[in-house]
Amino acid sequence: EDVVAEIKRQALRLAERLASEQGFRGIVVFGRDGRELFRLDDREGIDGKLREVMKTGLESGALTGNGSFLSRYAPVREQGEVVGAARLTLSLAPEYARLSRSIHLFMAYFILDFLLLLGFGSYLLSRCIVLPIRKLLASTGRIADGDLSCRVPVPGNAEIAELAESFNTMVDSLRRKRDEVETHIRSLERINRELQTARAETVRS
């Protein structure tokens, strides 16, 4: 009887501490003979796990209610001898709720990071590829109108810079060819004037 009373006192003190916990769902203590010694909010009877703990004296645990509850089994000892077993049941609902909040927070951070990376990537794409290509297209339009003085700056990545450099080289080559053609034209015009002058002199003679 003294052992039973001590078990009840210890179980009561433990229950008072655990009852304030959000996930607490009950505690029950059975004696070695299967007699119920203490119960608080636990509606289940003695089960195989309790009998196993009484027999082996080893603690164990199990998930119940499709994973909604965690039951912890522990032996009750008196002077080193197992005189009973206790089952403490905790609800995992608060942990699932905390996990759900963590997942939602993680998803929010993931979406925010994705949007930031998307915006930064769009900015880099526009600055390093789209803008140089637009300048290149604008320069080709000026060249088509006969303006060979334009040059394309060489920003961006290696491929864009190489393309711009090739374009500038082509423009320089076209400008040199145009200057050569204009020089030939001026030379032909000078020769033509000289021929006309010589012809006029010949006619006068």
Side-chain angles (χ1 to χ4, degrees):
E1 293 298 329
D2 292 339
V3 173
V4 172
E6 180 62 23
I7 289 175
K8 287 183 178 181
R9 283 194 296 270
Q10 292 180 4
L12 183 59
R13 286 196 297 268
L14 178 61
E16 289 175 349
R17 290 199 301 269
L18 293 175
S20 60
E21 297 293 331
Q22 186 179 3
F24 177 74
R25 284 298 176 270
I27 185 171
V28 64
V29 180
F30 286 93
R32 190 172 183 85
D33 56 359
R35 182 165 53 115
E36 180 183 309
L37 303 179
F38 180 83
R39 178 185 295 273
L40 177 64
D41 295 338
D42 189 316
R43 298 180 179 85
E44 302 294 328
I46 191 169
D47 57 14
K49 283 282 187 180
L50 278 171
R51 292 190 177 91
E52 182 180 350
V53 170
M54 292 177 191
K55 181 179 179 181
T56 62
L58 300 177
E59 297 184 5
S60 65
L63 289 174
T64 59
N66 295 325
S68 300
F69 299 97
L70 173 64
S71 295
R72 183 68 179 174
Y73 299 84
V76 177
R77 300 179 185 275
E78 175 67 21
Q79 296 180 353
E81 181 183 356
V82 177
V83 294
R87 177 178 64 222
L88 172 65
T89 303
L90 300 174
S91 173
L92 297 179
E95 301 303 321
Y96 286 141
R98 189 178 296 112
L99 179 61
S100 178
R101 289 194 299 270
S102 299
I103 291 175
H104 290 158
L105 185 62
F106 172 78
M107 290 301 298
Y109 276 120
F110 175 78
I111 293 173
L112 180 60
D113 289 343
F114 174 76
L115 292 177
L116 289 175
L117 289 175
L118 182 63
F120 185 65
S122 299
Y123 170 76
L124 288 181
L125 180 66
S126 175
R127 182 178 177 85
C128 298
I129 296 179
V130 177
L131 186 60
I133 292 296
R134 286 179 177 174
K135 290 182 178 180
L136 188 61
L137 290 175
S139 299
T140 57
R142 293 173 60 185
I143 291 172
D145 294 335
D147 182 9
L148 297 180
S149 63
C150 65
R151 291 184 65 84
V152 178
V154 189
N157 55 31
E159 291 77 10
I160 297 296
E162 185 177 352
L163 179 61
E165 188 63 33
S166 299
F167 182 84
N168 291 331
T169 302
M170 180 194 69
V171 172
D172 293 339
S173 178
L174 288 174
R175 187 165 52 248
R176 286 194 300 271
K177 295 297 182 183
R178 185 190 63 180
D179 293 342
E180 292 176 1
V181 169
E182 290 178 350
T183 300
H184 285 302
I185 290 175
R186 285 194 296 269
S187 177
L188 290 175
E189 288 176 347
R190 180 178 53 80
I191 294 172
N192 186 45
R193 287 194 300 270
E194 291 175 354
L195 287 175
Q196 289 178 352
T197 302
R199 179 175 177 275
E201 290 179 354
T202 302
V203 168
R204 282 198 300 272
S205 300

